[in-house]
Amino acid sequence: MFHARRLVLFHFWVAFIAFAAALVLGEWQMAVRSPLLPRVSNPELYYRSVTAHGTVMGYVLPTLVAMGFGYALTELALKRPLLGLRWAWASFWLVVVGTVVAATPIALGRASVLFTFYPPLLASVFYYLGVVLVVVGSWVWVGLTSWNIHRWRRDNPGAVLPLAMFGNATGAYLWAWTSLGAASEILLLILPAAFGWKDTIDAGLARVLFSWTLHAIVYFWLMPAYIAFYTIIPRAIGGRLYSDTMGRVAFVLFLVFSMPIGIHHLFADPQVGSGFKFVHAVFTAMVSVPTLLTVFTICASVEIAARLRGGKGAFGWVKALPWDNPYMLAVAFSFVMLGLGGAGGIINMSYQMNETIHNTQWVTGHFHLIFAGAIVIMYFVIAYDLWPQLLDCAPLNARLMRWQLWLWFVGMMVTTLPWHLVGLLGAPRRMAYFDYSHPALHPQALTVVISSIGGLLLVVSGFLFLWILATARRGSVRAAPYTFSTPVHAGAVPKALDSFALWVGLMVALTVVNYAVPIVQLSLIPETSVPVVPVGAQR
C-alpha cells in the first residue's frame, strides 16, 4: 500500500497549479516587452510579475516537486511506509503558507525585488518571512529523508541503498547546505532592515551570501530530473540501465562541485577579488563532468533498449528506438536543451567571455533552456510515471502526452534561441519595455515577437499537461507494482558510493575554502553598507 500517496498528490497539485499561473505571467511579460502591446508599459506591474514568476519557478515549483517525488521514492525504493508522515504534512503546509505569505506582498506591489532579492532594494517583511517558511518546510523534508535512510539501514544491515533513494538523499543534502546562503542573507542582513531595525544593508556581503545559493540551487532543481534519467527512463522505454555505479558517481560529483562555484555570478562585482572569481570559474567547469557522465550513461542505456528491439549497426539502432513512446521523446528533448543550455553556460562561466553577454537576454535564454527546458520536461515525466500509482488509474493518454511534450520542446526552442541572438546584440535583461521605433532597437522587434509566440506554445503545453493529469480516472484499474530501472550489471557497489560522509565532508570543506575569505573580508569592511531602498507602497 502506498501510504504517502495523498501527501505526494498534494505536493504535485500545488506545485503544478502554481507553475501554470507563473507560465501565464511569463508569457504576459514577453508580450509586454514586445511591440505587440505598445499601450501596456507600466514597469511597476512588470516587475511584480517578474518577481512572482521567478519566486514560483525558483522556489515553489522545484521545492514541492523535489519533496513530493522524494516522499514517493522513500516508499517505493525502500519498500516500506514513510516514517514521519505527520511531520511531512506539517512541512507541506509550511511551504503552502509560506507561498501565500510571500505572494501577498508581491501582488500588492510591495515586493518587486525578483527572486534574487536585489539588495539594497527592500521588500515587505512578509515576502522574506514567506520565503523563510518555504525553506524551513523543505528542511523538514531533508530531515525525514535522512531519518528514513537511517532506520532502513538499521533494519537492513549490509544492504545497498537503492539508486533512486541515493539520488534523493543527494538532492536533499545538497539543498540543506546550499539554502544556508540565502537563509543567512535573509536572517542576518535583510530582515533587520525589513523590520526597521537598520536603515542600511551590506549589499556586497548579501550578494556573496546569495551566490552561495544562486548556482547550486540549479542542481537541486536538476536532481529529480537526473533521478528520472537513471531510474525511470531505461525501464519506461524497455531497456536496462547501463551502469548503477555511474549514476552514483554523477550524484556525488554534483554534491561536491555544485557548491564552490557561485561567485562566477559576481564577475562584474568589484567587492570580490579576481582570484576567487577565477577559482569559482574553474570549479564551475568541473560541474560538466557529472553531466557528461550522465549523457554517456543514459545514451548507452537507450542504445541497449534499441538493440533489444532489434536495432543493429553503428547507428542503425537509432531507428529502432521507441520514438512513439513519450518517455523516449522527453529524454531526447531534455538532452537537446541540456546540450544547448550547457554550451551557453560555458560562455557564462568564462571570466573573459562573460563580459560580452553579462546582464543580457543571453543569460535569460541560457537558464530557461536548462531549468524550464531540460529540467521541467523531466518533471512532466515524473508526474506522468507516478500518476497511475497515485490514483490507481490506467497509464495516461500517450498521444496527448506526445503532443504536450512536443509543444513544450518547440515552444522552449522558439522562446530561447531568439533570446540568445538578441543577447549577443546587447539586449539587456530585466527591462520592462523597449521603444522599438529607435533605429538601434527596431531590428530586434521581430525576435522578441517570435519569443512571445514560443511563450504562447509553452502556456498551451502547460495547460495540456494539467488537463492530462486532471482527466485521469481515479480508481479505474489497480496499478501494477512500481519498479525502477534494472542495471545491466548488478555487482557490488563500493562503500564510498553507498554512503555520504565523505562527499558531504568534501562539499562543506570546498565551500569553506572558496567562501570563507570573501565573507570574512566583507564582514569587516563597513564601506560596503549602503542605504536601503524600499519598494512599492513603502516609498
Side-chain angles (χ1 to χ4, degrees):
M1 183 177 179
F2 196 167
H3 292 78
R5 73 171 67 199
R6 289 186 70 249
L7 176 70
V8 177
L9 272 172
F10 271 59
H11 278 78
F12 281 0
W13 272 125
V14 173
F16 294 135
I17 290 172
F19 162 74
L23 263 184
V24 174
L25 291 177
E27 169 59 9
W28 180 81
Q29 292 155 29
M30 287 190 283
V32 167
R33 287 170 58 99
S34 76
L36 298 174
L37 299 176
R39 295 182 181 276
V40 182
S41 58
N42 186 331
E44 201 276 330
L45 291 177
Y46 175 82
Y47 290 115
R48 287 193 206 187
S49 178
V50 173
T51 301
H53 176 83
T55 300
V56 169
M57 296 301 197
Y59 298 129
V60 179
L61 169 67
T63 299
L64 286 172
V65 168
M67 291 171 65
F69 188 36
Y71 292 135
L73 291 175
T74 301
E75 283 212 4
L76 297 173
L78 300 184
K79 301 185 186 306
R80 54 192 285 166
L82 174 71
L83 302 178
L85 189 59
R86 291 183 178 178
W87 282 98
W89 276 109
S91 71
F92 167 75
W93 288 114
L94 273 178
V95 174
V96 171
V97 171
T99 300
V100 174
V101 170
T104 301
I106 295 174
L108 295 175
R110 300 186 62 186
S112 299
V113 294
L114 284 65
F115 90 104
T116 47
F117 309 146
Y118 275 101
L121 293 181
L122 191 67
S124 163
V125 67
F126 291 103
Y127 174 70
Y128 304 114
L129 292 177
V131 172
V132 168
L133 288 177
V134 171
V135 173
V136 171
S138 70
W139 285 347
V140 176
W141 162 66
V142 174
L144 288 176
T145 300
S146 185
W147 176 244
N148 275 269
I149 290 175
H150 170 74
R151 291 291 297 272
W152 181 85
R153 289 193 188 278
R154 189 192 68 178
D155 297 338
N156 298 271
V160 175
L161 190 66
L163 178 61
M165 197 60 192
F166 188 84
N168 182 39
T170 302
Y173 296 148
L174 172 61
W175 173 241
W177 185 242
T178 190
S179 60
L180 284 178
S184 299
E185 178 192 9
I186 293 176
L187 296 175
L188 301 178
L189 300 177
I190 294 179
L191 281 180
F195 277 116
W197 302 334
K198 295 178 60 179
D199 58 4
T200 62
I201 188 170
D202 192 332
L205 178 58
R207 285 175 62 80
V208 169
L209 287 174
F210 193 80
S211 77
W212 177 307
T213 298
L214 182 56
H215 204 89
I217 196 175
V218 174
Y219 303 103
F220 165 64
W221 298 340
L222 175 148
M223 201 58 65
Y226 272 54
I227 295 171
F229 285 151
Y230 283 99
T231 66
I232 293 178
I233 293 297
R235 179 260 298 161
I237 63 173
R240 304 280 293 276
L241 176 62
Y242 176 73
S243 173
D244 176 284
T245 300
M246 197 78 84
R248 294 171 188 270
V249 170
F251 290 146
V252 298
L253 288 181
F254 276 125
L255 200 63
V256 173
F257 290 124
S258 294
M259 280 304 307
I261 66 175
I263 286 178
H264 80 256
H265 285 273
L266 307 180
F267 281 158
D269 288 31
Q271 78 273 6
V272 179
S274 58
F276 278 96
K277 292 174 181 176
F278 173 77
V279 170
H280 280 243
V282 171
F283 276 99
T284 304
M286 293 301 296
V287 178
S288 64
V289 175
T291 296
L292 292 174
L293 288 177
T294 297
V295 170
F296 171 82
T297 304
I298 302 308
C299 285
S301 303
V302 166
E303 181 180 352
I304 291 171
R307 296 198 182 277
L308 288 174
R309 292 166 56 89
K312 299 185 182 300
F315 299 104
W317 57 269
V318 176
K319 295 181 181 179
L321 288 170
W323 291 110
D324 59 340
N325 186 320
Y327 296 86
M328 185 66 239
L329 285 179
V331 73
F333 293 157
S334 183
F335 275 14
V336 169
M337 292 185 285
L338 183 64
L340 292 172
I346 293 174
I347 306 298
N348 300 342
M349 57 140 278
S350 169
Y351 201 176
Q352 293 77 23
M353 289 188 288
N354 178 74
E355 292 300 317
T356 64
I357 48 85
H358 177 70
N359 267 345
T360 70
Q361 279 294 100
W362 171 284
V363 180
T364 312
H366 158 71
F367 69 72
H368 276 80
L369 269 177
I370 294 293
F371 174 64
I375 294 174
V376 168
I377 204 168
M378 295 307 296
Y379 287 1
F380 298 151
V381 165
I382 289 168
Y384 286 151
D385 199 59
L386 285 178
W387 223 243
Q389 297 292 320
L390 298 175
L391 296 185
D392 271 335
C393 65
L396 304 178
N397 189 308
R399 183 176 64 85
L400 288 180
M401 290 164 63
R402 289 194 297 269
W403 270 102
Q404 189 266 323
L405 296 170
W406 268 108
L407 283 169
W408 189 261
F409 174 67
V410 173
M412 192 57 62
M413 299 299 285
V414 173
T415 299
T416 58
L417 293 183
W419 283 347
H420 284 81
L421 174 60
V422 295
L424 291 175
L425 297 176
R429 57 191 293 215
R430 309 190 191 96
M431 297 294 290
Y433 63 94
F434 297 92
D435 180 8
Y436 291 103
S437 64
H438 192 285
L441 296 179
H442 183 70
Q444 299 178 13
L446 177 60
T447 59
V448 180
V449 171
I450 293 172
S451 288
S452 298
I453 295 171
L456 185 59
L457 293 177
L458 293 175
V459 171
V460 173
S461 175
F463 278 88
L464 179 56
F465 169 67
L466 290 181
W467 171 263
I468 294 170
L469 298 185
T471 54
R473 295 177 57 192
R474 179 188 289 269
S476 56
V477 298
R478 183 69 176 175
Y482 192 85
T483 60
F484 296 96
S485 301
T486 304
V488 174
H489 302 291
V493 173
K495 182 64 177 177
L497 296 178
D498 188 38
S499 59
F500 296 97
L502 170 64
W503 311 110
V504 170
L506 286 172
M507 175 182 69
V508 172
L510 284 173
T511 307
V512 171
V513 169
N514 282 19
Y515 272 102
V517 172
I519 289 175
V520 171
Q521 285 181 335
L522 289 169
S523 300
L524 299 176
I525 301 175
E527 289 80 4
T528 56
S529 292
V530 295
V532 297
V533 181
V535 300
Q538 296 181 13
R539 286 181 298 189

